Amino acid sequence: MSNYVITIARGFGSGGKRIGMRLAKELGVPCYENQILTMASDDSGINRELFAEVDEKLRGSYIISRLKGLPSEYIIEPSEKNFVSDVNLFNYQAKIIRELAAAECCVIIGRCADHILRDCKKAVKVFVCASKEFCIGTVKEQLFVSEAEAERMVTKTDKYRGDYYKYYTGGKSWNDPANYDICLNSEALGDDGVIAAIKNLLEIRGLK
């Protein structure tokens, strides 16, 4: 079996995280999501809570429409004043993601991993989506909130994920199919269908 990494971007409420975790279990490989924050914290020495504050979202100092260029991928040293800036926190996460992809087969959920690994030939980039109505229903059922609150959560979460992706990819749209190898509708296919499609893609790519 060739070394591979599956990146999963997902709409909130689409079940992408659940699918990624189950896929990893069936493939017998690790699945990384929030663990990346802890690993980046350990690597940098920066408090994990700072990584959690910018977890797939931008803090108020960034306005997408005013961006003047790509954030630098250079990791700032502790002696420099921007050591705990949002960009440096992202770059430490990106460093961990590249190291994981180089070291082992794995599934990575979120965190612009598809963009970070855009030049990695062994990366299989997946986007899991569903209709907004389906996502609202899922959030309402799983988090025990009202329909209005579920709709607010879906709208807000997808917006900050989109803004985060746009900022760190230099203007790309998070839900643009062109960014991924395959886009899968969990509402139409169900978890089983999405997982089967990803496994088939691994075989088509000669990675499994």
Side-chain angles (χ1 to χ4, degrees):
M1 180 180 68
S2 300
N3 195 27
Y4 61 80
V5 56
I6 301 167
T7 70
I8 297 183
R10 72 282 183 227
F12 188 59
S14 69
K17 177 180 177 179
R18 178 183 67 246
I19 288 168
M21 293 174 67
R22 182 179 148 193
L23 173 66
K25 185 176 181 180
E26 292 188 13
L27 292 172
V29 303
C31 180
Y32 297 102
E33 192 212 15
N34 289 333
Q35 300 93 325
I36 291 173
L37 304 182
T38 300
M39 296 166 79
S41 174
D42 291 344
D43 186 61
S44 64
I46 298 172
N47 191 308
R48 188 188 183 283
E49 293 305 311
L50 291 176
F51 285 98
E53 286 178 15
V54 295
D55 185 17
E56 292 193 280
K57 56 184 175 288
L58 298 172
R59 291 190 278 197
S61 59
Y62 296 102
I63 301 176
I64 299 300
S65 62
R66 297 182 183 175
L67 294 180
K68 295 183 179 179
L70 282 168
S72 170
E73 294 185 355
Y74 167 70
I75 289 179
I76 298 170
E77 297 299 321
S79 59
E80 299 181 53
K81 68 176 183 178
N82 290 325
F83 181 56
V84 295
S85 68
D86 289 18
V87 170
N88 207 40
L89 296 175
F90 175 85
N91 287 341
Y92 267 109
Q93 292 184 68
K95 176 177 180 283
I96 296 298
I97 288 170
R98 293 189 188 98
E99 289 174 350
L100 290 171
E104 62 185 0
C105 293
C106 60
V107 175
I108 299 176
I109 299 173
R111 286 164 185 78
C112 295
D114 60 280
H115 178 75
I116 292 165
L117 300 177
R118 60 193 179 279
D119 296 323
C120 178
K121 296 186 183 301
K122 63 184 179 181
V124 175
K125 299 177 284 294
V126 179
F127 186 82
V128 178
C129 62
S131 70
K132 189 168 185 179
E133 292 73 21
F134 177 85
C135 293
I136 290 170
T138 299
V139 172
K140 178 182 176 182
E141 179 181 341
Q142 294 185 351
L143 299 183
F144 305 103
V145 296
S146 68
E147 185 166 345
E149 176 62 10
E151 181 175 8
R152 185 194 70 79
M153 292 172 70
V154 169
T155 300
K156 180 179 179 180
T157 303
D158 283 352
K159 183 181 186 306
Y160 73 58
R161 284 180 180 170
D163 287 349
Y164 180 91
Y165 190 92
K166 187 174 184 179
Y167 180 70
Y168 287 108
T169 62
K172 289 184 179 180
S173 295
W174 162 71
N175 56 1
D176 182 352
N179 298 329
Y180 307 97
D181 298 321
I182 190 168
C183 298
L184 298 165
N185 187 322
S186 58
E187 179 181 7
L189 298 173
D191 290 10
D192 289 346
V194 172
I195 289 169
I198 297 171
K199 288 180 176 178
N200 286 339
L201 182 56
L202 282 174
E203 294 182 359
I204 291 169
R205 291 274 302 275
L207 297 171
K208 185 176 180 295

